[in-house]
Every structure is written in structure tokens, then in C-alpha cells.
Amino acid sequence: MDEARFVTHLSGKRIVLGVTGSIAAYKAVSVLRTLRCAGASVSVVMTKAATKFVTPLTFEVLSGERVVTDLFDAHEPMAHLMIPERADVMLVAPATANFLARAALGLADDVLTTMLLSVRCPIIVAPAMDGDMWTHPSVVQHVQTLRSRGVVVLDPEVGPLASGQIAQGRLSEEPKIVAAVDSVLASRCDWQNEVVLVSAGPTQESIDPVRFLSNRSSGKMGYAIAAAAKARGAEVILVSGPSSLSLEPGITTVRVNTAAEMADALCRHFSTCTVLIMAAAVSDFRPKQSFVQKVKKQGKTDMVLELEATPDILAMLSARRTSQIMVGFAAETEHMVSHATDKLNAKGLDLIVANDVTQTGGGFGSDDNAAIILSARGEQRDLGLMSKRRLADEILTAVHELCRVRPCQKVSVE
Ligand code: CTP
């Protein structure tokens, strides 16, 4: 098959491959290889019955990742939540009649069905079973239920089955399965025409060679937005303050330290972006003087550090905007909505994401965030506590709703 055909949408994507207990389980090995060859990362999840047909080791070697088979695996205690969280698509191939029933009923009696309930990305299932089972009213009804919920169910093919019968029940051919994954991913590439400029992390303002002023930002929110925009097809430029997070392939990253450096980097790229998302926690003040040598104590009991304001990067870029959509963040400890609304108006933004940085389970350094999205048109969406990756997708979706009203255009460079 022509693997190159799939490079556009599969490359860099994260796929969860569920394998259930059918004789066709061996074909999932080949599906896995093709997905990997096309540049996707694949996390394999097997039901107990699937492991009777193919060993997890086979999938482990070919995927390069631990295979999840047990909801109670001590090594992956939250796998049922963590793995689907990062997935761009979930594929179950082969899917047995038993799996279809459990999925349709919303049972969560193993790791795979539990994942189905937490996953937010598109789901594709490729059933395989005996012909009489496929046409049984119970299976027909479960397939209908799944389709009505938006699950893509690939009809099995007609051909010789394990029972010797020739009927409809054979797992779809591998190119068909891979093409379905590709096409679902293509339809999710709703950011393909955007150039997104994202800022992330804190800035550090030097006092002397060993000390600086900074804040508690980890960069997780900005990095999650960059990754989500990339996964949805955008060209992404990330301007990152100091952060220990690893960079995603395919994202142009500019590393900076100070607010002034961040302002320079963003100004350089602003004219070519269609959307700016300013998730960085820029220091508002910097020392008026940065000492070349370490400041010594010299018996002092107190010390006054004179500070000056850094440039307000968002306000500066807002004054230069042409057709860019501009999104800011508001890190608040009280009066979230009113403070965020003031910033939205003062900085001339289209959207602002207000978050309470004091909330338990969210805020700086955490993997989660509770946010309210406010728009210049007066809309307000309270999103509650969710992972930063999920919030990133919510923000991108909100931006796109705006773009539908005022279409984003790539800005031409003179
Ligand atoms: N911001 C910026 N330049 C600055 C400070 C902040 O561009 N010098 C941006 C942030 O990246 C964020 C938005 O402005 O998108 C709001 O930042 P925030 O720290 O919440 O508010 P401030 O404007 O700094 O106001 P205050 O500190 O008084 O809350």
C-alpha cells in the first residue's frame, strides 16, 4: 500500500489502538506497523481475550510503548485516563461482538471500555466476527447505537471466515482501516490554514549573574496549546520562556529569557501569524539595573531593589494587528471575571482565558486548569477543572467559532 499517502495526517499523531479477542487480532499487528511507518505514535490496549491470540510483547516491540492490558496495572495506575487524554484518534481493530455490546452499553469492566468513556477524540471500530453474529439483531442494534454517538464503524467485509463460512464478518482490509484513521484525522485538521504564534512559560529578569525575578509558571498551558494546534494542522511557532518541558517535533520554537527578548521574538513573527495566543506569564517588572557581578551582602540587613515596568507585549502587538485573532490569559487570584474583562478590553483582545491560579488542582505547575473563556462579544464559558491539553482544544475551538464570524486569513508578508 502507498504509505506516503497517509503521511500528511498521520505523522506526529497519537493513536490508541484497542485490540480485542478475535482471531483477526494478528492483523492489528500489521495495522500498527503501517501507522508507525506513517509517523504516528501508537499506544496499544488489549483485552484479556486478545492476549490469547497475540502476545502483548509483539505490540510492545512494534509500538515502542508499554502495552496496557490491565485496569489495575501498578505501573500505569491512571492509564485509562492518561492515554486517551493525549489521543488524536482511538481505533479498535478487531472489535468483537462482545466489545461492541459493552461499548454500546457504556460498561467499564476493563481498561479498554473504561478508556472509551473518558476519550474525547474520534473513535473508529473495525468489527470482526462470524457472519451470523454480525447480522444478529443484538449486534445490529449495538452498532446503530455506536454510530448514533458518532463512532465510525467500518462494516466488515464479505469473505471466508474462521468458521469456514463465507459471509460478512471479515475484518476490513488494512488499507481501508488506515484510510479511515487518516480521513478522521483529516477532518480534525480544522487549523490547517492557520499560523499560530504561542507564548509560554515565565520570563526571568536578571538581578545579577546568580539571581533573577520570575514567577511560578511551568509553561504547561502554552506547550499544550502549541501541541493541540499542531495536532489540528496548524503551523505553530512557540516562543518559550525558561521551561523544563520537552519540545514537540514539528513546532518552531524560539527560546527566550526576558520579557524584552519575548517581545522581540513575538514582534518578529507577529506579522505572519493568523492567531496569537499569549499564554506566557510575562514578568511585569524587572530590576532597573542588572548587576554584572554578584551583589554582595556586605553586612547589610535590608536592601531596596528598584524595579521598572516591562513592555506589555499584548498591548503592544494589539496596536500593530492587521487581521490577527488575539487571545490572552488572565492569571487571577480574585474577581476573575471582572479583572479578566478589564484586560480583554484594555489589551484589545478577541478572547481571554481567565484562570484562578490559587485553585487546588489547577494553576501554575499543575497538569490541570479551571478556566473561564470570555469573548469581546460578551460570551462567557465556564469550563471547570480539566487537563491543560483538553483546555487547549477548548480554546482552539472557541477561537475557531470566532474565526467563522471573522475568517482568519494568512497575512501576506511584504
Ligand atoms: N502580558 C503581556 N506583557 C506583560 C504582562 C502580561 O503580554 N508585560 C500578557 C500575558 O501573557 C497575558 C495577559 O497579558 O496573556 C494578562 O497577563 P496577567 O499577568 O494576567 O495580567 P497583567 O496584564 O500583567 O496585569 P496584572 O499583573 O495587574 O494582573
Side-chain angles (χ1 to χ4, degrees):
M1 70 179 279
D2 180 7
E3 280 161 3
R5 245 189 77 211
F6 297 111
V7 166
T8 335
H9 304 115
L10 288 170
S11 175
K13 297 297 189 306
R14 180 153 275 284
I15 296 165
V16 176
L17 172 60
V19 185
T20 70
S22 152
I23 183 68
Y26 75 93
K27 295 183 182 172
V29 175
S30 170
V31 171
L32 165 63
R33 289 210 60 191
T34 305
L35 295 174
R36 294 281 291 136
C37 285
S41 317
V42 185
S43 304
V44 179
V45 183
M46 300 177 77
T47 61
K48 280 274 172 294
T51 63
K52 304 271 182 208
F53 291 92
V54 184
T55 67
L57 185 62
T58 307
F59 288 107
E60 206 149 298
V61 170
L62 294 173
S63 69
E65 294 186 22
R66 245 184 108 81
V67 170
V68 180
T69 54
D70 186 0
L71 196 50
F72 305 102
D73 185 343
H75 295 284
E76 308 262 0
M78 298 300 273
H80 63 293
L81 300 177
M82 303 304 287
I83 292 177
E85 187 65 65
R86 304 194 310 262
D88 294 302
V89 66
M90 182 157 178
L91 164 70
V92 182
T96 59
N98 179 40
F99 169 80
L100 295 176
R102 291 183 299 131
L105 293 172
L107 300 185
D109 53 359
D110 67 6
V111 69
L112 185 58
T113 47
T114 308
M115 277 184 189
L116 279 187
L117 297 185
S118 68
V119 83
R120 290 261 306 207
C121 64
I123 301 169
I124 303 170
V125 299
M129 64 196 72
D130 203 56
D132 293 334
M133 292 168 80
W134 176 246
T135 52
H136 191 281
S138 162
V139 174
V140 170
Q141 199 174 356
H142 291 317
V143 168
Q144 261 170 14
T145 305
L146 292 173
R147 283 190 169 136
S148 71
R149 285 190 205 136
V151 174
V152 176
V153 182
L154 301 178
D155 282 336
E157 290 172 16
V158 177
L161 304 175
S163 61
Q165 197 190 17
I166 295 186
Q168 187 176 15
R170 281 174 70 84
L171 180 70
S172 287
E173 289 301 322
E174 181 202 308
K176 206 163 155 189
I177 295 174
V178 177
V181 175
D182 182 64
S183 123
V184 162
L185 287 170
S187 68
R188 286 207 96 208
C189 280
D190 54 347
W191 275 64
Q192 217 159 23
N193 294 320
E194 312 294 353
V195 180
V196 186
L197 183 56
V198 184
S199 72
T203 63
Q204 290 178 352
E205 312 298 329
S206 167
I207 297 171
D208 68 16
V210 294
R211 305 178 180 99
F212 54 77
L213 287 181
S214 190
N215 56 63
R216 298 179 199 279
S217 168
S218 62
K220 284 182 180 171
M221 192 64 243
Y223 277 60
I225 293 169
K230 172 80 183 42
R232 286 166 72 160
E235 181 185 331
V236 182
I237 303 154
L238 173 68
V239 176
S240 172
S243 166
S244 56
L245 298 175
S246 49
L247 301 170
E248 290 252 346
I251 294 178
T252 306
T253 306
V254 184
R255 294 249 187 218
V256 295
N257 282 311
T258 65
E261 287 167 10
M262 184 168 278
D264 277 357
L266 290 167
C267 284
R268 264 201 316 280
H269 293 283
F270 186 63
S271 63
T272 50
C273 80
T274 57
V275 180
L276 168 74
I277 305 181
M278 192 75 194
V282 185
S283 299
D284 288 325
F285 293 95
R286 64 186 164 212
K288 241 183 176 167
Q289 185 185 5
S290 168
F291 296 90
V292 181
Q293 303 301 335
K294 185 182 175 198
V295 177
K296 305 301 282 179
K297 275 201 299 275
Q298 286 168 337
K300 290 181 211 140
T301 52
D302 58 15
M303 178 181 173
V304 175
L305 197 59
E306 259 200 285
L307 304 178
E308 64 182 7
T310 56
D312 189 312
I313 306 173
L314 259 185
M316 199 171 80
L317 294 175
S318 179
R320 296 182 187 188
R321 79 196 286 187
T322 47
S323 59
Q324 293 89 343
I325 298 278
M326 298 193 58
V327 181
F329 273 72
E332 305 297 346
T333 54
E334 57 176 355
H335 310 305
M336 248 170 77
V337 172
S338 66
H339 284 166
T341 308
D342 290 346
K343 288 176 192 174
L344 176 83
N345 295 330
K347 302 188 191 220
L349 307 176
D350 298 293
L351 282 185
I352 195 152
V353 183
N355 56 307
D356 179 351
V357 289
T358 60
Q359 203 191 49
T360 337
F364 291 137
S366 152
D367 288 329
D368 299 323
N369 211 351
I372 300 177
I373 301 184
L374 305 163
S375 83
R377 293 184 305 192
E379 293 120 332
Q380 182 175 324
R381 281 181 63 200
D382 191 340
L383 293 168
L385 191 66
M386 59 177 68
S387 75
K388 288 184 175 171
R389 184 60 169 79
R390 191 170 285 185
L391 177 59
D393 267 317
E394 295 285 352
I395 295 166
L396 296 183
T397 302
V399 171
H400 248 204
E401 278 162 14
L402 254 186
C403 292
R404 260 182 238 132
V405 179
R406 179 157 66 85
C408 297
Q409 295 291 325
K410 275 194 181 174
V411 182
S412 58
V413 206
E414 288 139 39

